Structure formats: C-alpha cells, structure tokens
Amino acid sequence: MAAAVAGPEIERLVQLLARLPGLGPRSARRAALHLIKKREALMTPLAGALQVAIEKIQICKNCGNIDTQNPCTVCTDTRRDQSIIVVVADVADLWALERAHATNGLYHVLGATLSPLDGVGPQDLTIDALVARAHDPRVTEIILALNATVDGQTTAHYITDLLQEAGVKVTRLAHGVPVGGELDYLDEGTLSAAMRQRTLF
C-alpha cells in the first residue's frame, strides 16, 4: 500500500476534482497542486464563485436551462424568435448552440434522451412540458437538436409522434459531412446520411 504524501484535506480535494468529467486521478492531482500553489489568485476566488453558484443557480421553469435568474436569460430575451423552440438533451447542448450563434429561437432542455438500457423513460424527461409549449399559438416550429445516436433518434421519433396534434412543423438537424471534412475519413453511416439529405447547390 502506497504511503500518504499529503494530508486528508488535500487528498479529499484531489478525490473531488477526479470526479469532474475529463479529469482522472493524475489530472486531478495536477489541478489540485496548481490550485494550492495559486491559493490567493485562484483557489480563494474559485471557492467564492462555487459558493455563490450553490446559492444562486436555478433551473429555468420554462425551458430547463440553468441560470441565476428564473425564467433564464434566454427565455426573457425579447429579441428571441418566440415561434421556434429548439429541443436539446442537455444544457451543454444549449450552450454549444449558443456559442455557435446557430439559432435565435427559444430552447427546451429534456434532461437526457430515452435510454431503456439505462432505465431512462419518457417520465424521466420534460416531454410533457414540451408538448404543452408546442400548443402555444406563437410556436410554429420545433427543431429537434438531438445527438445522432440510437438514443437520440429514438427520442426524436417519440417526440415527433406526440407533436402531431400540436400543428407545428417538426424539423431536425441535418446529418452528414462536417464542414472541413474529407470524404475518405468519414464513416459509412455519415456518408449515407449525407447522400440521403443532399441539397441543391
């Protein structure tokens, strides 16, 4: 058994950092050492920011985004197109679309995708709230911005069936050749999807 090289407080910091996505035990140790070395410049402000986040962050009652206000900044932005709702599985997807300035519509965060193997069913997602929002007379289009995985596409089909009575246009993100992609390096599924969804030049 390896001897302890630091006190229990430092070991606890390393263990907590190791739980973050993308950080294993080694990366967590490096991050912990960096925080400790930069205690005044980094660790103290980070601890303060985490405490404020614990106290102020809320889940938006309209769309499921996380923010320090409820409804969130996106939902209260009057410049947004109220006729479009972009459906995403997770807040990370919402943030990705916002970074890309891909849409000016509103959002709806499902919380996950349907995954029977993981025990995630329709009752675990915010699908009922989405269907209710789709019946708003201002809404004319629902964009399903879900991952091109089996679970993502299953969720998209399930939602599409439920939205048939809402009288809205249901669209999904195009699948195919990425910008800057070379055909020789793409998998067969991506190439097939790109060919099926070809557009006029």
Side-chain angles (χ1 to χ4, degrees):
M1 184 175 171
V5 293
E9 297 84 2
I10 295 174
E11 287 300 323
R12 172 119 174 98
L13 174 62
V14 171
Q15 289 169 4
L16 288 171
L17 287 171
R19 292 184 188 176
L20 294 172
L23 287 185
R26 225 178 235 183
S27 300
R29 285 199 183 284
R30 281 198 297 271
L33 279 172
H34 186 72
L35 286 169
I36 291 165
K37 288 177 185 175
K38 306 277 185 182
R39 241 182 318 215
E40 296 304 316
L42 193 57
M43 189 182 259
T44 303
L46 177 61
L50 287 171
Q51 188 58 47
V52 170
I54 289 168
E55 294 166 2
K56 296 197 172 179
I57 287 179
Q58 305 173 57
I59 296 174
C60 178
K61 62 184 179 183
N62 292 342
C63 72
N65 187 19
I66 55 173
D67 203 338
T68 53
Q69 65 182 52
N70 194 357
C72 72
T73 306
V74 174
C75 287
T76 55
D77 185 349
T78 55
R79 297 166 298 177
R80 293 255 169 195
D81 186 346
Q82 305 286 314
S83 69
I84 296 173
I85 296 177
V86 182
V87 180
V88 294
D90 193 71
V91 173
D93 302 328
L94 185 158
W95 288 1
L97 289 168
E98 282 297 291
R99 278 195 313 272
H101 304 288
T103 180
N104 191 39
L106 299 174
Y107 290 93
H108 188 89
V109 180
L110 294 173
T113 52
L114 295 173
S115 180
L117 291 176
D118 297 321
V120 180
Q123 72 282 354
D124 300 310
L125 309 180
T126 59
I127 294 174
D128 290 343
L130 171 62
V131 172
R133 290 181 73 191
H135 281 84
D136 184 323
R138 294 173 296 179
V139 177
T140 59
E141 183 180 5
I142 304 288
I143 302 173
L144 300 176
L146 301 171
N147 291 332
T149 59
V150 171
D151 290 345
Q153 296 311 297
T154 301
T155 307
H157 287 296
Y158 182 83
I159 290 171
T160 302
D161 290 343
L162 292 178
L163 292 176
Q164 283 182 349
E165 296 177 8
V168 294
K169 179 169 70 171
V170 180
T171 59
R172 69 171 189 171
L173 297 183
H175 300 152
V177 180
V179 174
E182 296 183 32
L183 298 185
D184 190 36
Y185 293 101
L186 298 177
D187 63 276
E188 290 82 2
T190 300
L191 283 171
S192 296
M195 190 58 76
R196 283 194 308 273
Q197 298 173 40
R198 61 191 182 277
T199 58
L200 291 171
F201 192 62

